[in-house]
Amino acid sequence: MISSSAMAAVAVFALVLVLTPGPNMIYLVSRSVTQGRRAGMISLAGVAAGFLVYVTAVTAGIATVFALVPEIYTAIKVAGAAYLLWLAWQAVRPGGTTPFAPKELPADPPRRLFAMGLVTNLLNPKIAILYVSLLPQFTDPERGHVGVQIMLLSLTQITIAITVNALIVLGAGAIAVFLARRPGWQRAQRYVMGSALAGIAVHLGLTRTAAH
């Protein structure tokens, strides 16, 4: 039903997306470092639930709503770009910290960890753009029901995102120790993350505002 080239393209894009610093990565890493791997995995379950919400919304035709009322889509993009710029500033500002740095955070219960992972993903502009604008471009009405095609493409993206994020959660503690012993690496990581976030924000601002 779905061409191999479309599946491969979505897989590559999903891998690049999950490896690019963003709200999901920052939340999962910071929670894993401060509260442990179990907390990170519960938070990741919330992120996974957020992906399922997007899949349901897109297959229900939310992209059509955005196409009919482009102002809503524009507002989401502007808010998302502003949020990413704020995260970028937090990373590169004088005295800024890396998400791998231990912080004094309260130990949240599982329900709150799950909810925060869900909300973080739902408010992630990168994921919104992926589901609303990108995935529909890889569908072909001649190959069958478009909604089913989007669901299959979404499952490809979700599988890659969850797998990579799980590895990040499991390795967060080791990365934190590595960076703590090497201040120069920690500074470099902050600036790389800040630059990536700023780049995504600028890209969101320069792309067309209409949903397709």
Side-chain angles (χ1 to χ4, degrees):
M1 180 177 290
I2 299 175
S3 67
S4 57
S5 59
M7 187 76 74
V10 170
V12 171
F13 189 87
L15 182 60
V16 172
L17 194 70
V18 73
L19 291 175
T20 304
N24 286 350
M25 179 187 290
I26 292 175
Y27 176 70
L28 292 174
V29 167
S30 61
R31 184 50 64 183
S32 300
V33 170
T34 57
Q35 200 171 333
R37 291 176 176 176
R38 180 175 179 274
M41 287 299 182
I42 295 174
S43 300
L44 179 57
V47 170
F51 285 130
L52 296 179
V53 171
Y54 271 114
V55 173
T56 303
V58 172
T59 55
I62 192 173
T64 303
V65 175
F66 286 149
L68 294 175
V69 190
E71 291 79 9
I72 298 178
Y73 186 64
T74 301
I76 292 176
K77 287 184 61 178
V78 171
Y83 180 49
L84 290 176
L85 285 175
W86 181 81
L87 290 176
W89 169 244
Q90 293 300 308
V92 302
R93 67 182 175 83
T97 60
T98 169
F100 290 99
K103 301 179 181 67
E104 292 295 332
L105 294 177
D108 290 329
R111 181 179 298 179
R112 178 171 175 78
L113 291 171
F114 182 90
M116 287 301 297
L118 171 64
V119 172
T120 298
N121 198 20
L122 291 179
L123 297 180
N124 187 344
K126 294 194 304 178
I127 305 304
I129 297 302
L130 168 70
Y131 278 94
V132 174
S133 289
L134 184 70
L135 290 186
Q137 296 182 24
F138 291 96
T139 62
D140 183 355
E142 296 183 357
R143 288 181 171 271
H145 194 281
V146 172
V148 175
Q149 293 183 55
I150 290 179
M151 184 174 296
L152 293 175
L153 292 172
S154 300
L155 290 177
T156 300
Q157 179 269 328
I158 291 172
T159 300
I160 293 173
I162 296 303
T163 301
V164 174
N165 275 319
L167 294 175
I168 291 173
V169 167
L170 294 175
I175 296 173
V177 172
F178 175 88
L179 293 175
R181 295 175 178 175
R182 297 166 177 82
W185 281 78
Q186 190 171 116
R187 287 192 296 271
Q189 188 268 342
R190 283 175 46 210
Y191 284 111
V192 169
M193 177 169 285
S195 299
L197 291 170
I200 296 170
V202 171
H203 177 71
L204 288 176
L206 293 178
T207 52
R208 290 177 295 178
T209 58
H212 297 287

